[in-house]
Amino acid sequence: MSLLPLIDHVLLGAPQRAALETDAPSGESQHFTFGDLESRSNQLATVLIARGVHRGDRIAFLLQNRVEIIDLWLVCVKLGLIAIPINVLYQAREIAHIVADAEPSAVVTTADRAADLPKGTVMWDVEVLAHEAAHVTAVRERPRAFREIVCDSTTPLALVYTSGTTGASKGAILTHGNFASNALILNASWAMHESDRMLTTLPLFHVHGLGNAVHCWLLSGCHMKLTGRFEAARATSWFTEYVPTVFFGVPTMYVRMLDMNATVAAKIGERARLFVSGSAPLPVHVLQAFREQFGHVILERYGMTETLMNVSNPYFGERRAGTIGLPLPTTAVRIVNERGGDVEDGTSGELWVRGPNVMKGYYRDPVATAQVIVDGWLNTGDIAR
């Protein structure tokens, strides 16, 4: 199956429900229902169809967090396109490598980043696209042009560039099935619910933000506040005014949050139910200090661009400081020695992962794919015990 039926329960089934709050680049606050997001993505899809896109085309985006990324992502799901997120911190050389390797039909970005694209790249100004989409007659009913497109679990949905386990940056091919299985498991494992309020400051060019936060939001049907990026100076007001129940962060964010007033931090903790950390190891002393100040044990988990989420401390039960927890449902792990044999308990070795979350392979690189995926097991290159 494609990812679309899993999110249609809110796009089509709960159109009046408040879905998203974010700030436009000009600064004004924007509010959207799930029905608004359905209509906006239909309008943008109509624009892209008019520009000649077809199922399987690759569309890159070089954008800081904004609602148009959500619009474009939903269009990719609906039209069977392949999204290519590009890190906004990348400079011209790194961007050129991705564009040359992926050969996208176009790169959606802002006018001020046009000069960072390689000569000859087709650039679509996000503001122009948004303007054109806004002038498409409101489309609640999906146009026949893409209503009948059928994707399955093996259909590629994203090409996400990563250094991988070795060598230069490679494009991990992530499918509808990868994103669907990841979202279903996280929503069940972390007890996501439509009553949740999720504060998202993670960049959507990274799978932590796009693969986890966005899909936990869409599948649970909860409300999300999306910020341009994490800003320590604004974090207190975000938490006290928006009052999130769920926050996904990285260790550096939690370090900065420890600077909050202790009384305010305690109140934030009283209203929240889950703080998740990933993308880098969480220092034990940070977890302990956060528990004392906010009253929460941060849930640490482990994933990769090539696999999305693999392992997590439990939502219910003991969360051990300095560990990444247990394999998530449907994900199998092995810890092996240099000969590929399983090691004894308590012995370190390379972590191997297998499951519906594992990528299809590296784009146009069968050699690298064969090196990291052996008999269905992805060799992470990471050491575990």
Side-chain angles (χ1 to χ4, degrees):
M1 69 181 299
S2 78
L3 184 62
L4 189 56
L6 297 179
I7 58 181
D8 270 348
H9 80 102
V10 289
L11 295 180
L12 301 181
Q16 302 305 317
R17 186 186 302 167
L20 177 66
E21 171 187 335
T22 189
D23 290 334
S26 56
E28 73 268 20
S29 183
Q30 300 174 302
H31 298 264
F32 305 96
T33 65
F34 284 111
D36 292 332
L37 298 177
E38 166 69 6
S39 181
R40 286 173 60 92
S41 56
N42 290 345
Q43 290 170 286
L44 180 58
T46 302
V47 170
L48 296 194
I49 290 171
R51 290 192 177 208
V53 301
H54 299 89
R55 179 185 177 185
D57 283 353
R58 298 174 297 282
I59 304 294
F61 64 86
L62 177 63
L63 297 167
Q64 188 166 293
N65 288 2
R66 54 191 294 164
V67 67
E68 285 80 10
I69 295 179
I70 304 296
D71 297 335
L72 183 59
W73 181 255
L74 293 177
V75 170
C76 289
V77 172
K78 292 176 178 181
L79 293 185
L81 305 178
I82 302 172
I84 307 172
I86 301 178
N87 190 325
V88 296
L89 300 179
Y90 282 174
Q91 300 302 309
R93 178 181 60 82
E94 297 158 308
I95 296 170
H97 167 72
I98 293 174
V99 172
D101 189 67
E103 297 183 324
S105 299
V107 178
V108 179
T109 189
T110 50
D112 62 305
R113 294 303 302 265
D116 293 326
L117 302 180
K119 185 177 180 181
T121 301
V122 177
M123 177 268 198
W124 288 347
D125 189 318
V126 66
E127 301 290 352
V128 174
L129 284 180
H131 178 78
E132 291 181 11
H135 284 78
V136 172
T137 303
V139 184
R140 292 283 181 179
E141 179 70 16
R142 293 175 187 169
R144 182 173 298 277
F146 63 96
R147 192 168 67 234
E148 298 173 355
I149 289 177
V150 177
C151 300
D152 62 27
S153 62
T154 66
T155 304
L157 177 54
L159 193 57
V160 186
Y161 277 77
T162 172
S163 58
T165 56
T166 59
S169 178
K170 296 179 282 291
I173 305 170
L174 298 175
T175 67
H176 280 252
N178 294 149
F179 284 103
S181 63
N182 184 71
L184 287 167
I185 293 304
L186 294 189
N187 270 268
S189 298
W190 297 345
M192 295 296 300
H193 190 269
E194 66 180 51
S195 62
D196 277 318
R197 294 171 65 80
M198 178 186 293
L199 174 61
T200 299
T201 65
L202 293 164
L204 300 190
F205 57 72
H206 192 279
V207 293
H208 192 170
L210 184 62
N212 297 350
V214 165
H215 290 91
C216 280
W217 161 58
L218 288 172
L219 264 69
S220 69
C222 70
H223 192 275
M224 181 171 73
K225 178 179 177 65
L226 177 67
T227 72
R229 61 184 183 278
F230 181 82
E231 298 178 58
R234 301 181 64 188
T236 296
S237 62
W238 287 336
F239 276 94
T240 56
E241 294 172 12
Y242 180 66
V243 194
T245 61
V246 176
F247 178 72
F248 294 172
V250 299
T252 53
M253 294 179 184
Y254 289 112
V255 170
R256 298 303 301 272
M257 287 172 65
L258 293 176
D259 293 333
M260 290 183 183
N261 174 276
T263 301
V264 172
K267 290 182 178 179
I268 291 171
E270 288 174 2
R271 298 170 176 176
R273 69 169 184 85
L274 178 62
F275 293 90
V276 178
S277 181
S279 298
L282 180 70
V284 172
H285 73 273
V286 174
L287 181 144
Q288 294 171 338
F290 195 89
R291 178 176 56 197
E292 294 172 3
Q293 195 163 324
F294 288 81
H296 280 265
V297 178
I298 298 170
L299 187 153
E300 188 168 12
R301 85 304 177 278
Y302 164 82
M304 303 174 65
T305 299
E306 292 91 338
T307 63
L308 301 174
M309 291 301 99
N310 301 308
V311 179
S312 172
N313 272 267
Y315 179 70
F316 296 106
E318 179 190 4
R319 300 177 193 172
R320 294 188 182 180
T323 75
I324 54 173
L326 304 167
L328 286 162
T330 75
T331 301
V333 304
R334 294 175 60 196
I335 301 176
V336 304
N337 57 31
E338 56 274 4
R339 296 181 301 279
D342 295 334
V343 303
E344 295 182 359
D345 284 352
T347 303
S348 296
E350 183 183 4
L351 183 66
W352 287 10
V353 177
R354 183 174 66 184
N357 53 315
V358 173
M359 68 173 181
K360 199 168 188 175
Y362 288 122
Y363 186 63
R364 292 178 175 172
D365 199 336
V367 174
T369 299
Q371 289 173 342
V372 300
I373 302 179
V374 180
D375 295 329
W377 291 94
L378 185 135
N379 307 172
T380 69
D382 290 328
I383 303 302
R385 185 176 63 203

